[in-house]
Amino acid sequence: MSRRRARAGYFGPASGGGAAIALDDVEISILRSLAVQLLELIGPGDQPAGAEEDPLAQLFAEGPTKPPEDPALARLFPDAYEETADASEFRRYTENDLRARKREDALAMIRVLDRGGPVLELTAEEARQWLGGLNDLRLTLGTRLEVTEEDSDELYRLADSDPRKPLVMAYLWLGGLQESLVETLLG
């Protein structure tokens, strides 16, 4: 039996170390749309030549050596070091795996959302993937909105006529979801 304590809009514990949340159809639709847009932003990933025939080819695939030009992608795939040869080498060998993980996190969100509601129950692994996906969505929206620590209080006071208002509302909502998921998993 599940220890599910899902409240509307907040994660609660579920059996097996997972989490549960009650979402209405509109919330499910918004989250799904955002996750699909994140997948489109990250891209399909490059399949190295011969990867279908040789699974080891994927292990030795080399990725890009320069940061992405899109600011949101640059935020999702930052340099590990200052702009040096080390940064290029690190990116070359890690970005493909990082992209694959971020794609899998977004796909896990979509799969759970496609199961329908009103209560979505996540396994422990799905909860971990949702945590990554929610974080990536917030980073992307925050970058698009040019959110900084200094103006975070201003986000709560935007005029309804401000064209950024819908994205800001989504950004703040995702933050609440992320926070309640963290609390659930740590609780």
Side-chain angles (χ1 to χ4, degrees), residues 106-169:
L107 282 170
M109 289 181 71
I110 292 168
R111 287 184 197 112
V112 170
L113 293 165
D114 284 351
R115 292 193 301 235
V119 175
L120 304 174
E121 192 162 335
L122 287 64
T123 65
E125 177 61 17
E126 289 169 336
R128 186 213 54 80
Q129 290 174 307
W130 269 63
L131 201 51
L134 289 170
N135 186 61
D136 291 342
L137 287 171
R138 285 197 74 232
L139 287 173
T140 301
L141 285 177
T143 302
R144 294 285 189 242
L145 291 165
E146 298 178 352
V147 173
T148 64
E149 291 277 330
E150 295 79 41
D151 61 13
S152 62
D153 287 340
E154 292 176 30
L155 296 178
Y156 292 97
R157 295 187 298 275
L158 282 180
D160 288 343
S161 60
D162 191 310
R164 299 173 299 158
K165 182 88 176 207
L167 284 181
V168 167
M169 296 300 293

Side-chain angles (χ1 to χ4, degrees), residues 65-68 74 77-89 91:
T65 57
K66 295 180 182 172
F77 305 106
D79 276 333
Y81 308 98
E82 289 185 34
E83 196 74 29
T84 65
D86 289 339
S88 295
E89 284 298 300
R91 178 177 300 280

Side-chain angles (χ1 to χ4, degrees), residues 12-78:
S15 60
I21 188 169
L23 296 173
D24 64 31
D25 289 341
V26 172
E27 292 167 324
I28 288 171
S29 177
I30 291 168
L31 271 176
R32 190 179 192 292
S33 175
L34 290 171
V36 167
Q37 290 176 54
L38 180 63
L39 279 174
E40 291 170 355
L41 177 67
I42 293 170
D46 296 328
Q47 190 76 327
E52 295 83 25
E53 302 86 35
D54 181 9
L56 291 177
Q58 183 71 33
L59 291 174
F60 298 105
E62 293 183 9
T65 57
K66 295 180 182 172
E69 291 182 21
D70 182 307
L73 282 174
R75 183 71 176 103
L76 292 175
F77 305 106

